[in-house]
Amino acid sequence: MNRKAKTSDIHQIVSLEKRVLGQSLGEAFLLQEIENNPQSIYWVCEINHEIVGYIGFRFTDEKAEMMNFVVSERFQGKGIGTTLMEEAEQSLKAAKVKTIILEVRKSNEKAQRFYQRQAFEYLLTRKNYYDHEDAYVYLKEI
């Protein structure tokens, strides 16, 4: 079900991002991250040959930043996000990462509740981070 992302997953990942988020990091960005960046970790959840969720991080030294995290709406609330986060955190720990940081839209209360359940703590607000919408920055020590 969960596995490391491959370049052959990129098309489905982009499609998933656009469906759920209305935008995508883009195929070129994801190709660079998955294929050429040794300091990135991307995991997907695949069910019946369909990518239904993914999570990606970039890390340097002991810090990691979440690039994106998406679960298909029809699979939300089924534990997929939790298992993806756990897999990613284990990979980050193996890479000697100690701190994870992420941004989330102020309006995305569902995601904020998820991050809080995962022991992330609110750090600060970035004004107008998302085209006229503030972002909350969360931090977690792993």
Side-chain angles (χ1 to χ4, degrees):
M1 185 143 92
N2 290 347
R3 59 174 173 75
K4 288 189 175 181
K6 305 179 288 191
T7 55
S8 59
D9 299 325
I10 291 173
H11 180 72
Q12 284 193 64
I13 290 170
V14 168
S15 177
L16 176 65
E17 287 176 320
K18 288 179 179 177
R19 256 191 341 270
V20 177
L21 304 175
Q23 60 188 17
S24 172
L25 293 174
E27 290 186 15
F29 177 87
L30 290 165
L31 178 63
Q32 170 63 28
E33 288 292 285
I34 294 169
E35 186 146 304
N36 300 317
N37 187 351
Q39 293 185 295
S40 71
I41 292 173
Y42 283 76
W43 282 86
V44 298
C45 176
E46 182 179 31
I47 298 175
N48 296 325
H49 307 290
E50 178 187 357
I51 303 297
V52 299
Y54 97 99
I55 191 168
F57 289 93
R58 262 189 197 169
F59 61 93
T60 53
D61 300 321
E62 296 181 345
K63 297 176 183 166
E65 180 178 1
M66 181 185 290
M67 304 311 294
N68 224 350
F69 183 27
V70 183
V71 175
S72 174
E73 289 174 337
R74 72 180 201 267
F75 288 95
Q76 291 178 8
K78 300 182 186 299
I80 289 170
T82 299
T83 61
L84 282 170
M85 182 67 75
E86 289 169 354
E87 295 277 0
E89 283 186 19
Q90 291 304 313
S91 294
L92 291 168
K93 283 180 186 179
K96 309 290 189 230
V97 168
K98 299 199 183 308
T99 305
I100 298 173
I101 193 165
L102 63 89
E103 294 92 6
V104 61
R105 289 180 184 274
K106 180 179 178 180
S107 63
N108 193 345
E109 294 176 6
K110 186 175 186 179
Q112 291 170 43
R113 287 190 300 274
F114 173 82
Y115 296 133
Q116 291 163 1
R117 284 192 309 272
Q118 298 299 313
F120 283 85
E121 296 180 12
Y122 169 82
L123 183 63
L124 59 93
T125 300
R126 291 191 172 141
K127 295 288 184 190
N128 297 315
Y129 185 78
Y130 296 106
D131 296 326
H132 309 293
E133 183 175 0
D134 294 350
Y136 290 153
V137 178
Y138 281 85
L139 179 80
K140 180 178 183 178
E141 302 291 333
I142 59 172

